[in-house]
Amino acid sequence: MNFLIKFAQTHESFRLAEIRALALIEGVDLAVVDYTDESPFCLVRLPSSNDARRLVRRSILAQSIHELWGTGGTLDLLHQSVTNNTSNQWVNYKNVSFKFTIDSYQGARNSESRLKIINTFAYLPFEGTIRMSQPDETFTLFELWPFNSVPLRLPDPIMYFLGRLIGSSSRDTVLKFDLKKRSYISTTSMDSELSLVTANIALAGPGKLFYDPFVGTGSFPIACACFGAIGWGSDIDGRSMRGEGGSKSLRGNFIQYGLEMGLGDVFSADLVNTPIRRNKRIWDGVVCDPPYGVREGLRILGLRNPEKTPWLVEKGKVNASLPDFVPPKKPYSFLAMLDDILAFAADTLVDNGRLSFWMPTANNEDQEIPVPMHPSLELVVVCNQKFNKWSRRLITYRRMSDIDVPPMALAAYHAKQNAVYTGTSVDDMNPFRRGYFKRFEAEDKWH
């Protein structure tokens, strides 16, 4: 059966990634028939209406899904398509209450024009009550107009679709988790919409364990818990998790949403110096938005030259358990951080578990940071959120089974790990930061 998905007019490059992930979560056989980022309409093929309803019920970027009754470049062609495709179904809707609506994308119609077009469907043998509020069935005529059709005063759209409403999405969840209403946030808290989309693409769901190694105020574990997963997290700065205590803390955010049972625990650590055992495959998903190192250089726990300052090592051993102890930190390479994220995910994800993390890059191809790769991780999808001269990508990988990992590729990867990222300044160790403050000038090539 063919269905029409109506997407919200935002985050175009994330739409198919989310829908395909939801098809895996729901066990739905999905085929994308026709889609382009320039339109909010997506034609898909699904086994049944029940599958269609399940597909979009937790979607954030979709608005609704409709059983496709017909398409056409003109109204006459649409009516012909509806008659050819659905005349055998009309008897099923003869006595139900119903309503017709018109949804025009990039176009506009006045009330008189809308009513005139709706009346052209009078050939449908519907004898039930017309009910504008909570009808049994809703039929929507979707119109796709050319760009700038209103100022250009174009007379007609370029495509019509008629659909019967099957189900709506969970897009209103974005408002529930809106950062403006959250008790505790920071300047780097990921907004609720993209947090929820990330959780969907990473396949968060009931009974799964998800971990954020840069947890901050908890945006990603909260989003994963919203879909039934248990969220865990860590951060190099324990203050970001503790906040002021009570409602002004990461745990307080979970309590605010009634998701206390969805929080495993959080602890202070960094990705390199972590208490998580690397030889245990425990996580169903790793989701994170690592620091970009723009405001200040990246840091990990440790000393720059421990051999030259042995007294600091001993002091740390003595004072590490004190509540006011602040561990020393040393500079960290941005590129090393990317490699460490992938290596950690490869060591700790279960088979088919997903790593979804955000990574900044320049829009200029000459300055673009390549997508990092690991032989045990299969690249699933790269979604892009563009700003002015830079973008941030949501990169998602699937942990392959060990038997599917090419031994030669794995050996070459481990040999490469002998390389060390060096530098004398934060800009040397962070190509994105260097480009950011130079406004990504074309002559400034990244190394």
Side-chain angles (χ1 to χ4, degrees), residues 328-340:
K329 301 176 180 66
K330 63 180 180 180
Y332 190 30
S333 163
F334 179 84
L335 299 178
M337 178 185 69
L338 299 181
D339 285 345
D340 287 338

PDB file of all heavy atoms in Angstrom, residues 328-340:
ATOM      1  N   PRO A 328      43.547  17.556  38.125  1.00  0.00           N
ATOM      2  CA  PRO A 328      44.250  18.316  37.078  1.00  0.00           C
ATOM      3  C   PRO A 328      43.858  17.818  35.697  1.00  0.00           C
ATOM      4  O   PRO A 328      43.434  16.675  35.517  1.00  0.00           O
ATOM      5  CB  PRO A 328      45.725  18.024  37.371  1.00  0.00           C
ATOM      6  CG  PRO A 328      45.714  16.695  38.052  1.00  0.00           C
ATOM      7  CD  PRO A 328      44.448  16.662  38.869  1.00  0.00           C
ATOM      8  N   LYS A 329      44.007  18.704  34.723  1.00  0.00           N
ATOM      9  CA  LYS A 329      43.651  18.357  33.344  1.00  0.00           C
ATOM     10  C   LYS A 329      44.787  18.755  32.410  1.00  0.00           C
ATOM     11  O   LYS A 329      45.553  19.676  32.688  1.00  0.00           O
ATOM     12  CB  LYS A 329      42.352  19.068  32.935  1.00  0.00           C
ATOM     13  CG  LYS A 329      41.156  18.724  33.826  1.00  0.00           C
ATOM     14  CD  LYS A 329      39.933  19.523  33.433  1.00  0.00           C
ATOM     15  CE  LYS A 329      38.746  19.175  34.324  1.00  0.00           C
ATOM     16  NZ  LYS A 329      38.945  19.590  35.725  1.00  0.00           N
ATOM     17  N   LYS A 330      44.838  18.077  31.273  1.00  0.00           N
ATOM     18  CA  LYS A 330      45.871  18.366  30.285  1.00  0.00           C
ATOM     19  C   LYS A 330      45.221  18.570  28.922  1.00  0.00           C
ATOM     20  O   LYS A 330      44.078  18.147  28.700  1.00  0.00           O
ATOM     21  CB  LYS A 330      46.890  17.231  30.224  1.00  0.00           C
ATOM     22  CG  LYS A 330      46.323  15.898  29.767  1.00  0.00           C
ATOM     23  CD  LYS A 330      47.406  14.823  29.740  1.00  0.00           C
ATOM     24  CE  LYS A 330      46.843  13.481  29.275  1.00  0.00           C
ATOM     25  NZ  LYS A 330      47.901  12.428  29.250  1.00  0.00           N
ATOM     26  N   PRO A 331      45.919  19.224  27.977  1.00  0.00           N
ATOM     27  CA  PRO A 331      45.343  19.478  26.643  1.00  0.00           C
ATOM     28  C   PRO A 331      44.992  18.185  25.913  1.00  0.00           C
ATOM     29  O   PRO A 331      45.627  17.147  26.110  1.00  0.00           O
ATOM     30  CB  PRO A 331      46.457  20.248  25.927  1.00  0.00           C
ATOM     31  CG  PRO A 331      47.285  20.830  27.014  1.00  0.00           C
ATOM     32  CD  PRO A 331      47.250  19.854  28.140  1.00  0.00           C
ATOM     33  N   TYR A 332      43.991  18.305  25.050  1.00  0.00           N
ATOM     34  CA  TYR A 332      43.450  17.140  24.340  1.00  0.00           C
ATOM     35  C   TYR A 332      43.217  17.527  22.892  1.00  0.00           C
ATOM     36  O   TYR A 332      42.654  18.589  22.604  1.00  0.00           O
ATOM     37  CB  TYR A 332      42.146  16.739  25.019  1.00  0.00           C
ATOM     38  CG  TYR A 332      41.534  15.422  24.610  1.00  0.00           C
ATOM     39  CD1 TYR A 332      42.296  14.331  24.185  1.00  0.00           C
ATOM     40  CD2 TYR A 332      40.152  15.251  24.688  1.00  0.00           C
ATOM     41  CE1 TYR A 332      41.708  13.128  23.854  1.00  0.00           C
ATOM     42  CE2 TYR A 332      39.539  14.043  24.362  1.00  0.00           C
ATOM     43  CZ  TYR A 332      40.329  12.984  23.943  1.00  0.00           C
ATOM     44  OH  TYR A 332      39.735  11.787  23.614  1.00  0.00           O
ATOM     45  N   SER A 333      43.638  16.687  21.986  1.00  0.00           N
ATOM     46  CA  SER A 333      43.465  16.960  20.563  1.00  0.00           C
ATOM     47  C   SER A 333      42.036  16.673  20.117  1.00  0.00           C
ATOM     48  O   SER A 333      41.437  15.658  20.494  1.00  0.00           O
ATOM     49  CB  SER A 333      44.440  16.107  19.749  1.00  0.00           C
ATOM     50  OG  SER A 333      44.054  16.036  18.393  1.00  0.00           O
ATOM     51  N   PHE A 334      41.494  17.561  19.296  1.00  0.00           N
ATOM     52  CA  PHE A 334      40.143  17.377  18.757  1.00  0.00           C
ATOM     53  C   PHE A 334      40.067  16.097  17.930  1.00  0.00           C
ATOM     54  O   PHE A 334      39.108  15.316  18.051  1.00  0.00           O
ATOM     55  CB  PHE A 334      39.782  18.591  17.902  1.00  0.00           C
ATOM     56  CG  PHE A 334      38.429  18.525  17.260  1.00  0.00           C
ATOM     57  CD1 PHE A 334      37.292  18.899  17.951  1.00  0.00           C
ATOM     58  CD2 PHE A 334      38.288  18.091  15.947  1.00  0.00           C
ATOM     59  CE1 PHE A 334      36.030  18.829  17.360  1.00  0.00           C
ATOM     60  CE2 PHE A 334      37.033  18.026  15.345  1.00  0.00           C
ATOM     61  CZ  PHE A 334      35.909  18.399  16.057  1.00  0.00           C
ATOM     62  N   LEU A 335      41.051  15.867  17.076  1.00  0.00           N
ATOM     63  CA  LEU A 335      41.039  14.683  16.227  1.00  0.00           C
ATOM     64  C   LEU A 335      41.226  13.409  17.047  1.00  0.00           C
ATOM     65  O   LEU A 335      40.632  12.370  16.741  1.00  0.00           O
ATOM     66  CB  LEU A 335      42.121  14.781  15.151  1.00  0.00           C
ATOM     67  CG  LEU A 335      41.966  15.965  14.184  1.00  0.00           C
ATOM     68  CD1 LEU A 335      43.114  15.997  13.184  1.00  0.00           C
ATOM     69  CD2 LEU A 335      40.632  15.893  13.446  1.00  0.00           C
ATOM     70  N   ALA A 336      42.035  13.490  18.114  1.00  0.00           N
ATOM     71  CA  ALA A 336      42.182  12.342  19.006  1.00  0.00           C
ATOM     72  C   ALA A 336      40.867  12.034  19.700  1.00  0.00           C
ATOM     73  O   ALA A 336      40.511  10.868  19.905  1.00  0.00           O
ATOM     74  CB  ALA A 336      43.275  12.615  20.034  1.00  0.00           C
ATOM     75  N   MET A 337      40.124  13.072  20.056  1.00  0.00           N
ATOM     76  CA  MET A 337      38.821  12.870  20.693  1.00  0.00           C
ATOM     77  C   MET A 337      37.877  12.112  19.768  1.00  0.00           C
ATOM     78  O   MET A 337      37.173  11.186  20.203  1.00  0.00           O
ATOM     79  CB  MET A 337      38.208  14.212  21.080  1.00  0.00           C
ATOM     80  CG  MET A 337      36.828  14.107  21.704  1.00  0.00           C
ATOM     81  SD  MET A 337      36.056  15.718  22.026  1.00  0.00           S
ATOM     82  CE  MET A 337      35.759  16.280  20.336  1.00  0.00           C
ATOM     83  N   LEU A 338      37.865  12.478  18.484  1.00  0.00           N
ATOM     84  CA  LEU A 338      36.999  11.779  17.533  1.00  0.00           C
ATOM     85  C   LEU A 338      37.374  10.306  17.449  1.00  0.00           C
ATOM     86  O   LEU A 338      36.500   9.422  17.457  1.00  0.00           O
ATOM     87  CB  LEU A 338      37.086  12.434  16.155  1.00  0.00           C
ATOM     88  CG  LEU A 338      36.658  13.899  16.054  1.00  0.00           C
ATOM     89  CD1 LEU A 338      36.783  14.377  14.607  1.00  0.00           C
ATOM     90  CD2 LEU A 338      35.239  14.100  16.554  1.00  0.00           C
ATOM     91  N   ASP A 339      38.660  10.022  17.365  1.00  0.00           N
ATOM     92  CA  ASP A 339      39.113   8.626  17.313  1.00  0.00           C
ATOM     93  C   ASP A 339      38.744   7.884  18.591  1.00  0.00           C
ATOM     94  O   ASP A 339      38.345   6.704  18.546  1.00  0.00           O
ATOM     95  CB  ASP A 339      40.628   8.568  17.098  1.00  0.00           C
ATOM     96  CG  ASP A 339      41.031   8.889  15.666  1.00  0.00           C
ATOM     97  OD1 ASP A 339      40.144   8.877  14.790  1.00  0.00           O
ATOM     98  OD2 ASP A 339      42.223   9.160  15.432  1.00  0.00           O
ATOM     99  N   ASP A 340      38.876   8.563  19.740  1.00  0.00           N
ATOM    100  CA  ASP A 340      38.578   7.906  21.018  1.00  0.00           C
ATOM    101  C   ASP A 340      37.092   7.593  21.155  1.00  0.00           C
ATOM    102  O   ASP A 340      36.715   6.582  21.756  1.00  0.00           O
ATOM    103  CB  ASP A 340      39.029   8.792  22.187  1.00  0.00           C
ATOM    104  CG  ASP A 340      40.543   8.829  22.336  1.00  0.00           C
ATOM    105  OD1 ASP A 340      41.201   7.884  21.851  1.00  0.00           O
ATOM    106  OD2 ASP A 340      41.065   9.786  22.924  1.00  0.00           O
TER     107      ASP A 340
END
